[in-house]
Amino acid sequence: MNKLGLHGNVWAAGWSHDECARAIGNTAELGFDLVEAPALDPSLIDVAFTAKQLEKAGIGITFSLGLDAETDLSSGDPEKIRRGEARLGDVVSMTRDLGGTHICGIIYSAFQKYMVPATKEGIAGSVDALRRVAEKAAASDIVLGLEVVNRYETNVLNTAAQGVDMCKRIGAPNVKVHLDVYHMNIEEADMEAAIIDTGDYIGYFHTGDSNRGYMGTGSIDLPRVFKALVRSGYQGPITFESFSSAVVGQPLEGILGIWRNLWEDGYDLARHAKMYTESQLKSAHEAHNCGRKGLPF
Ligand code: MN
């Protein structure tokens, strides 16, 4: 069964003691299996305090982040690659210490709008660096999820097929593709086909909707997405991600363009997302089972 997760930015912009306790406590109270903590700057996360909160709440944790211009693994600049690798290494250590299973997000390039295309040398450098990070992560059974995002947030991975290609080049079994319905809705020709074609390479999944608000309030055909996920045999985490200007601050709101207040009550939003996701998964599993039945006698 897929573990259901909730992105920490539903509750808070950062990870201070108050924010950490609130994010973990509320996520557990709603019955989610894990919280996805934003690790843009891992040095701001108090590992011992977070461990205590997770233990008290009885849930797990994953981390997501995007690198920045100074830590860009795709930059071709040895110094930036060194810093990027060090940052990811810190996140691997932190994830290991907290018993986490997944690190995901834009961990192969900067998380920004690029003004020029990616280069062959830049991608090769990112592949090499991620191979080294993957080795360290594998020692603690941690999966790296390369999040495929829209063209305004990276110039490296915009489609699921590109994600699979990069995983193949890295060639480590713990490097997988992280898909997100919001980004797929912008870039994929056919979301269902993209999910099926990615298949065993899917390692992490973000749900939400086209406006990044309540599930079902945008234009994405979510029943079709969940049916494809079930058909693909994906068993990993499914995490709900949503942003509102009521919570998110800089630098995230600037990079993601979070200008609108789509919701104020994160509790109501997250409770709905959990019900919606469980209902969609149930329907998708039932549809899958019905569809496979043969002759009655
Ligand atoms: Mn996402």
Side-chain angles (χ1 to χ4, degrees):
M1 276 303 266
N2 305 99
K3 285 191 171 168
L4 299 189
L6 183 60
H7 198 290
N9 280 138
V10 166
W11 307 116
W15 207 252
S16 66
H17 283 189
D18 273 2
E19 290 171 322
C20 163
R22 191 164 76 245
I24 292 174
N26 287 351
T27 299
E29 199 176 302
L30 285 166
F32 286 93
D33 305 302
L34 58 92
V35 67
E36 180 182 318
L40 286 171
D41 183 351
S43 70
L44 300 177
I45 294 177
D46 182 336
V47 174
F49 183 83
T50 303
K52 256 185 235 152
Q53 301 305 312
L54 288 172
E55 198 186 334
K56 200 164 77 180
I59 60 169
I61 194 164
T62 61
F63 285 100
S64 61
L65 72 152
L67 297 171
D68 55 28
E70 292 307 305
T71 53
D72 185 351
L73 294 188
S74 71
S75 61
D77 177 333
E79 190 48 32
K80 291 179 180 175
I81 293 174
R82 191 194 61 72
R83 284 196 292 260
E85 234 180 290
R87 180 164 303 170
L88 291 176
D90 288 346
V91 180
V92 169
S93 303
M94 186 166 75
T95 306
R96 173 200 64 209
D97 294 346
L98 290 168
T101 49
H102 293 72
I103 296 167
C104 56
I106 308 163
I107 57 179
Y108 49 82
S109 79
F111 168 31
Q112 65 176 39
K113 165 80 164 73
Y114 284 85
M115 303 306 282
V116 291
T119 64
K120 190 177 168 191
E121 296 72 26
I123 290 174
S126 180
V127 164
D128 287 343
L130 283 168
R131 201 177 286 130
R132 293 187 290 269
V133 176
E135 204 178 316
K136 181 176 171 163
S140 303
D141 288 327
I142 294 167
V143 171
L144 302 182
L146 311 180
E147 185 168 17
V148 176
V149 298
N150 73 73
R151 67 192 68 190
Y152 306 107
E153 297 179 31
T154 187
N155 59 1
V156 177
L157 298 185
N158 299 141
T159 67
Q162 292 175 326
V164 171
D165 196 11
M166 188 141 180
C167 286
K168 285 181 179 167
R169 287 201 212 178
I170 294 166
N174 61 325
V175 178
K176 301 276 194 180
V177 179
H178 166 187
L179 295 178
D180 178 317
V181 294
Y182 167 78
H183 301 291
M184 294 180 84
N185 177 58
I186 297 171
E187 301 292 354
E188 300 293 347
D190 180 333
M191 289 173 72
E192 182 181 16
I195 291 168
I196 299 294
D197 290 348
T198 307
D200 289 343
Y201 278 98
I202 307 175
Y204 203 80
F205 200 85
H206 271 165
T207 55
D209 215 318
S210 57
N211 55 15
R212 309 205 100 169
Y214 275 77
M215 288 181 84
T217 64
S219 59
I220 298 177
D221 186 349
L222 288 168
R224 198 153 162 253
V225 165
F226 280 97
K227 281 179 182 165
L229 258 189
V230 167
R231 270 178 59 207
S232 79
Y234 177 63
Q235 301 279 327
I238 298 176
T239 294
F240 174 65
E241 179 176 50
S242 177
F243 301 101
S244 172
S245 60
V247 176
V248 175
Q250 292 293 354
L252 214 50
E253 75 173 5
I255 306 173
L256 293 175
I258 311 297
W259 317 129
R260 286 193 294 149
N261 187 352
L262 287 165
W263 46 263
E264 304 228 5
D265 185 349
Y267 203 89
D268 188 62
L269 171 91
R271 184 174 46 202
H272 171 263
K274 183 158 178 291
M275 283 191 303
Y276 193 96
T277 301
E278 284 171 337
S279 166
Q280 291 293 336
L281 276 174
K282 172 73 176 159
S283 300
H285 279 290
E286 292 300 332
H288 188 61
N289 293 338
C290 288
R292 285 196 303 181
K293 282 183 183 151
L295 287 168
F297 302 107

